[in-house]
Amino acid sequence: MIKKIFKLAINYLKYNRLMSIILVVCITISIFIPMFTVRISNLANEILSRRAMETPLVIGRKGGSLQLVLNTLYFKADTPDIMQYSVYEDIAGKNAGRVIPLYNKYTARGYPVIGTTLEYFGLRSLAVRSGSSMQVLGDAVLGFNVSRKLGLGAGDSIITDTGSLYNISSMYPLQMSIVGVLEKSNSPDDNVIFTGIKTTWVIDGIGHGHKDLKKAEDIDILSRDRDNIVGSPSVYEYTRITPENIDSFHFHGDPGRFPLTGIIVIPETARKKTILQANINLSETLQAVTPEGIIGNLMKLVFNVQKILSSYFFLVFLSTVLFLALIITLSLQIRKSERHIMQMIGSSKYTIFFILFTQMFTIVLISFGMSVVAVNVLVAFVKYLQFI
Amino acid sequence: MILIKNLLFRYPGESDFKLEIEELRIEDRQKCCIIGPSGSGKTTLLNIITGIYKPISGTVRINEMEINRKNDREIRNFRIRNIGYIFQDFGLIDYLNVEDNVLLPFYISPGLNVDGKVRKKVDFILRRLDIGNKSRSYIARLSQGEKQRVAIARALVTGPDIVIGDEATGNLDVKTAEVIMNLLMDVVEENKATLLFVTHNVSLMKHFGKVIDINKVNKDRE
């Protein structure tokens, strides 16, 4: 009987194609929007939380803790206040656990250049897909998406972005050698370029390489005495680090004062974490934050917004239900003679109700199916494009 | 045989109209025409015979079954298998094609299943009614005469004992009405069914073996 009723329902929907399509579109939209919002906020929560949980402690300059976490973990948000490399050395010296420095200030072709150590790859379980990880100054390893989108791989090179074409005080761009590409990790690591921390200092202008002034011609020398040689601005600074010129690269100043934007610490024990966090937070200039807590608070805010949206979605859903009720009422009016005929022939009221119900149910079922497919496709698309 | 005895029917809350029949007998395979002015109770009588309306008193017997003593379910089952209905406005479903319209009694009844035999029968009836080539057409594409043929086919598909036509040619022009009437008579005869036909058209009365003037059988109007 169900098969026969379903046939009648399908025939009705096919015959009244335009009405069916309009109904399906209306219901699909009213199901799709809340479903997609919930899925996408859950996905964001899952992705953000997973990474936050993998990162027990982040240390940076006192200031916006959310900015520090977003910049250090997700490579988003503005560069936080700069901290000194000596902080890293101090913490590393305390044997509190694994300590990873990060310097995230510059970009190359729009993608963040993250200066760090190879220990970062171990923390995030990043594997090299092709080539090798960075070994010497000037080496860069591309995240999977960067490689795919720029069409670059091991053996190519990439030039860092200058601040502004007309800013003569900005640093020279550095041409980095791409030595490897990472496996896809479905994380923010896919969308960045990794290099050694020292290489980012070279980009910063703290370190540089140029021709040996001891061997330089007089035209390149402003003054020369027993202890000092002052070169003229015409001395050529290398913009690419090569095996031939790598030895000429050097850093000026106290390494302890070199910049970092954040430090990730993976303490050996919870006790060590607590002690380190407390000590750091006693400092006037530093903060130690637990990303899980920061992201948790952020997600609470998101879910609060979602709650407000839920009441809005409920109203949309209610209006759709009322709209459907109107359609059904009108349909019953229009199809009064059809019901009468069926009853005269010998159909029960329940069968007629079941036929009409099946028609609406089919519409709702198709709409629900389309919503589920659309949500899944869009969520997959969001994951693919890594919007989150 | 249809036998009505001591029937009294009145619409609930309506005192102007009353249908009171002492005895009315319609033999098997008889072709019977019911005439009378509008509002005289012709359709009411058909609805009582088919069990749609229940009389206040009296008996309505079809063959051996006293229909007004049965419950709704039994009456529906009886109606769908034993009575074929032809409506004045054809009563066809616009979203079904001709074949599915004819099969409608099978679609709306749990007890009737569509199988190859039934489909063959539908095909035979449609060809018999000269609309065999229209089985896949939708109702909107048919002429008035073709629509009425589809309605006749649907009335015959379950092999009913009784075929009821309520002003069944009322929407047709005179010529088409005559053609349809001849066809109806033939197929009813071939199906060995009893025909009860309500009409205002006096020219059609020649087709019937028995004419019932509702005003004469209704004691209230005598």
Side-chain angles (χ1 to χ4, degrees):
Chain A
M1 190 63 194
I2 289 173
K3 199 177 161 187
K4 293 191 280 187
I5 285 177
F6 197 67
K7 178 186 167 63
L8 290 178
I10 293 294
N11 270 302
Y12 176 79
L13 299 178
K14 274 163 73 178
Y15 189 79
N16 299 289
R17 211 164 290 145
L18 185 64
M19 185 205 74
S20 304
I21 290 170
I22 291 171
L23 271 177
V24 164
V25 169
C26 288
I27 300 169
T28 301
I29 290 171
S30 70
I31 296 174
F32 169 80
I33 295 173
M35 196 188 260
F36 179 69
T37 311
V38 169
R39 278 286 301 276
I40 214 74
S41 57
N42 286 346
L43 180 71
N45 182 32
E46 188 193 318
I47 291 172
L48 293 175
S49 300
R50 196 193 313 139
R51 199 161 171 91
M53 285 164 74
E54 285 170 1
T55 318
L57 207 57
V58 169
I59 293 164
R61 276 285 289 234
K62 253 195 172 89
S65 52
L66 181 63
Q67 185 187 4
L68 175 66
V69 169
L70 290 179
N71 187 274
T72 309
L73 269 68
Y74 310 103
F75 314 121
K76 305 275 186 196
D78 292 338
T79 308
D81 289 340
I82 300 297
M83 64 197 290
Q84 293 184 347
Y85 185 68
S86 59
V87 177
Y88 164 77
E89 289 176 320
D90 285 350
I91 297 167
K94 285 176 181 163
N95 287 325
R98 283 155 72 194
V99 188
I100 302 165
L102 276 114
Y103 190 38
N104 172 16
K105 188 179 176 185
Y106 296 98
T107 58
R109 293 180 68 178
Y111 293 95
V113 175
I114 310 298
T116 187
T117 59
L118 288 179
E119 209 156 357
Y120 182 85
F121 289 7
L123 170 71
R124 301 288 185 219
S125 305
L126 299 174
V128 177
R129 181 187 173 90
S130 61
S132 64
S133 53
M134 60 267 189
Q135 288 159 354
V136 296
L137 204 64
D139 283 357
V141 174
L142 304 186
F144 181 84
N145 289 342
V146 178
S147 163
R148 190 173 48 80
K149 285 176 186 167
L150 297 181
L152 297 175
D156 296 323
S157 63
I158 188 163
I159 300 170
T160 59
D161 302 327
T162 50
S164 163
L165 183 64
Y166 302 106
N167 182 1
I168 55 169
S169 67
S170 68
M171 298 306 138
Y172 287 118
L174 180 72
Q175 188 174 1
M176 297 184 291
S177 305
I178 301 167
V179 292
V181 176
L182 295 175
E183 286 282 8
K184 190 170 176 61
S185 63
N186 292 314
S187 74
D189 299 322
D190 291 338
N191 300 316
V192 294
I193 299 158
F194 289 100
T195 188
I197 195 98
K198 285 185 176 175
T199 306
T200 49
W201 290 338
V202 172
I203 300 167
D204 220 7
I206 298 166
H208 60 176
H210 49 73
K211 64 170 82 165
D212 188 353
L213 292 183
K214 285 178 187 165
K215 296 173 188 170
E217 294 166 15
D218 285 346
I219 192 167
D220 292 329
I221 304 298
L222 285 180
S223 67
R224 193 196 302 255
D225 58 30
R226 206 177 55 168
D227 299 321
N228 274 327
I229 301 170
V230 180
S232 87
S234 65
V235 173
Y236 178 75
E237 275 194 28
Y238 301 121
T239 54
R240 181 171 195 185
I241 302 163
T242 61
E244 290 76 34
N245 66 19
I246 190 163
D247 290 337
S248 76
F249 276 81
H250 54 278
F251 296 88
H252 292 276
D254 174 11
R257 296 172 69 89
F258 290 174
L260 292 179
T261 50
I263 298 168
I264 293 172
V265 183
I266 304 102
E268 285 168 355
T269 60
R271 188 166 174 269
K272 282 186 177 178
K273 179 190 168 188
T274 311
I275 292 168
L276 179 65
Q277 193 170 7
N279 284 336
I280 294 288
N281 284 336
L282 281 175
S283 152
E284 283 181 5
T285 54
L286 298 172
Q287 61 172 334
V289 295
T290 308
E292 197 181 343
I294 303 288
I295 295 301
N297 285 337
L298 177 70
M299 289 321 292
K300 266 184 207 163
L301 186 72
V302 171
F303 284 119
N304 279 338
V305 173
Q306 198 181 314
K307 272 183 198 165
I308 296 165
L309 282 176
S310 294
S311 38
Y312 165 73
F313 293 145
F314 176 74
L315 288 176
V316 172
F317 183 73
L318 191 69
S319 66
T320 308
V321 169
L322 290 174
F323 169 71
L324 271 180
L326 176 71
I327 297 280
I328 292 168
T329 311
L330 287 174
S331 175
L332 288 176
Q333 284 290 326
I334 292 167
R335 299 170 69 186
K336 204 174 170 180
S337 68
E338 181 187 330
R339 286 185 288 138
H340 174 69
I341 292 157
M342 287 184 182
Q343 263 182 292
M344 293 285 274
I345 291 173
S347 175
S348 71
K349 282 181 181 170
Y350 297 112
T351 304
I352 295 168
F353 168 79
F354 199 46
I355 290 169
L356 297 173
F357 172 80
T358 307
Q359 286 163 3
M360 286 321 295
F361 180 74
T362 307
I363 292 257
V364 173
L365 198 70
I366 292 170
S367 307
F368 187 77
M370 283 179 66
S371 305
V372 170
V373 170
V375 166
N376 281 316
V377 167
L378 220 63
V379 166
F381 192 60
V382 166
K383 278 183 180 173
Y384 175 74
L385 292 180
Q386 299 208 329
F387 281 136
I388 299 169
Chain B
M1 185 184 68
I2 301 166
L3 179 64
I4 296 171
K5 265 192 170 178
N6 304 320
L7 178 105
L8 174 64
F9 176 83
R10 190 180 280 140
Y11 285 103
E14 204 175 292
S15 55
D16 295 348
F17 176 80
K18 188 165 72 170
L19 187 63
E20 209 174 348
I21 300 172
E22 200 172 282
E23 186 176 312
L24 177 65
R25 187 187 290 263
I26 300 162
E27 298 298 333
D28 281 345
R29 300 179 65 178
Q30 200 166 29
K31 293 181 186 66
C32 183
C33 177
I34 302 167
I35 57 163
S38 295
S40 58
K42 302 184 296 293
T43 303
T44 305
L45 177 61
L46 292 183
N47 286 340
I48 290 168
I49 291 171
T50 53
I52 291 166
Y53 293 161
K54 283 201 171 182
I56 293 165
S57 61
T59 55
V60 179
R61 189 181 286 274
I62 298 175
N63 299 331
E64 292 310 307
M65 190 172 132
E66 205 170 313
I67 196 157
N68 56 324
R69 295 264 183 265
K70 300 288 177 186
N71 64 31
D72 285 350
R73 190 177 174 167
E74 288 169 324
I75 292 171
R76 279 200 312 272
N77 281 339
F78 174 80
R79 198 158 66 230
I80 209 158
R81 288 164 195 273
N82 296 287
I83 297 174
Y85 230 111
I86 308 167
F87 301 91
Q88 181 182 8
D89 59 357
F90 318 123
L92 301 173
I93 310 290
D94 58 358
Y95 59 83
L96 298 178
N97 64 25
V98 166
E99 188 187 56
D100 287 334
N101 259 289
V102 175
L103 285 168
L104 187 65
F106 288 81
Y107 291 146
I108 60 176
S109 170
L112 297 176
N113 291 315
V114 181
D115 54 21
K117 203 173 157 189
V118 171
R119 289 199 185 277
K120 267 187 184 172
K121 187 176 181 181
V122 171
D123 184 51
F124 173 78
I125 295 171
L126 290 178
R127 278 191 283 114
R128 175 67 186 87
L129 293 166
D130 292 330
I131 46 171
N133 58 340
K134 302 275 182 182
S135 64
R136 299 283 162 197
S137 301
Y138 280 91
I139 302 307
R141 294 188 174 274
L142 303 181
S143 68
Q144 297 292 89
E146 286 169 334
K147 284 177 187 172
Q148 198 55 294
R149 285 166 202 250
V150 178
I152 293 169
R154 187 178 63 195
L156 293 170
V157 74
T158 53
D161 295 328
I162 301 165
V163 173
I164 287 176
D166 190 359
E167 311 262 10
T169 53
N171 274 354
L172 304 176
D173 59 74
V174 178
K175 198 177 159 191
T176 313
E178 191 62 33
V179 173
I180 292 293
M181 207 63 223
N182 283 326
L183 198 55
L184 179 63
M185 288 297 161
D186 289 348
V187 290
V188 166
E189 185 63 38
E190 288 161 17
N191 282 272
K192 298 175 181 141
T194 305
L195 177 65
L196 292 183
F197 199 87
V198 167
T199 185
H200 284 111
N201 189 345
V202 286
S203 69
L204 295 176
M205 284 178 204
K206 62 181 186 241
H207 294 281
F208 297 93
K210 181 173 183 170
V211 176
I212 299 167
D213 185 344
I214 195 79
N215 280 341
K216 284 182 182 166
V217 292
N218 187 358
K219 281 167 72 182
D220 190 47
R221 301 285 173 110
E222 272 182 330

